């Protein structure tokens, strides 16, 4: 129970203990889909940054929005979409910055086939707005809203397509596996991994 209340604190200890008991071998499969990150900010050179990510071998770009207003976000995303080949996928992360009007407006402006999803458009717990956005046809991924199996159920009920799960949020590898399995049973796609962990944390997430 304490680990669920403070997963950030407990994840390192529980991961180390469970690794000793349950992990067998250290090999990590080589094939992984890596993502380049960009942010829509006043000084960002978005097209240049997007192409730099492609030259580094990335085929998916994650673009953070919500810092400069809806109009700037749309301009920035259109700049990226115009610069990259059609086979490149775009993930948009609003980091809880939007209201329903902004989220719907953004999706209507740029939510074509290249855009995989809009991540966490609203503050966590706003299942009412999430449900309304899903009904508009937007593809949604939730991150900050997902902490428990009940949250997974709420996401599925709201029409969400995917969720992001992270080891440090779920406290231990075994609980992470249970959450992934539950998400899949509910028909939710799973994006796994933190991306801001250190080498040891990222290695364990790959395992």
């Amino acid at each position: 129970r304490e680990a669920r209340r403070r997963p950030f604190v407990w994840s390192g200890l529980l991961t180390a203990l469970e690794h000793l008991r349950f992990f067998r071998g250290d090999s990590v499969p080589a094939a992984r889909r890596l993502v380049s990150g960009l942010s829509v900010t006043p000084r960002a050179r978005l097209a240049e940054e997007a192409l730099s990510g492609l030259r580094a071998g990335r085929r998916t770009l994650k673009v953070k929005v919500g810092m400069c207003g809806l109009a700037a976000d749309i301009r920035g995303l259109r700049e990226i979409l115009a610069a990259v080949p059609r086979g490149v996928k775009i993930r948009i992360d609003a980091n809880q910055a939007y209201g329903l009007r902004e989220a719907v407006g953004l999706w209507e402006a740029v939510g074509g086939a290249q855009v995989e999803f809009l991540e966490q458009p609203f503050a966590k717990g706003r299942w009412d707005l999430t449900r309304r956005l899903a009904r508009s046809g937007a593809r949604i991924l939730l991150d900050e809203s997902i902490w428990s199996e009940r949250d997974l159920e709420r996401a599925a009920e709201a029409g969400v397509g995917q969720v992001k799960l992270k080891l440090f949020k779920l406290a231990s590898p075994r609980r992470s596996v249970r959450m992934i399995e539950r998400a899949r049973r509910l028909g939710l796609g799973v994006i796994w991994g933190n991306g801001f962990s250190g080498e040891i944390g990222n290695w364990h997430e790959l395992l």
Side-chain angles (χ1 to χ4, degrees), residues 53-150:
L54 300 188
R55 287 192 293 271
R58 310 294 195 260
R59 303 304 295 173
T60 302
L61 305 175
K62 178 174 179 177
V63 185
K64 288 188 175 289
V65 299
M67 296 167 279
C68 299
L70 179 60
D73 290 340
I74 292 172
R75 284 196 303 272
L77 287 161
R78 284 176 172 166
E79 179 183 343
I80 293 167
L81 288 164
V84 301
R86 290 193 176 185
V88 174
K89 296 298 184 181
I90 308 295
R91 299 173 177 177
I92 305 172
D93 186 0
N95 279 122
Q96 309 182 73
Y98 279 170
L100 183 62
R101 181 187 66 82
E102 290 84 2
V104 171
L106 183 84
W107 192 261
E108 289 179 346
V110 299
Q114 275 186 268
V115 178
E116 290 191 320
F117 50 70
L118 175 57
E119 179 178 339
Q120 196 66 46
F122 313 121
K124 60 183 180 181
R126 290 307 307 264
W127 301 106
D128 55 334
L129 299 183
T130 302
R131 190 175 296 107
R132 291 171 66 184
L133 180 61
R135 284 201 296 263
S136 78
R139 294 183 290 276
I140 304 170
L141 175 139
L142 292 182
D143 177 0
E144 287 86 353
S145 291
I146 306 299
W147 293 85
S148 67
E149 291 193 27
R150 180 59 187 133

Side-chain angles (χ1 to χ4, degrees), residues 127 131 134 150-160 186 188:
W127 301 106
R131 190 175 296 107
R150 180 59 187 133
D151 291 332
L152 293 174
E153 293 166 2
R154 291 189 183 102
E157 292 164 359
V160 169
L186 289 166
L188 296 165

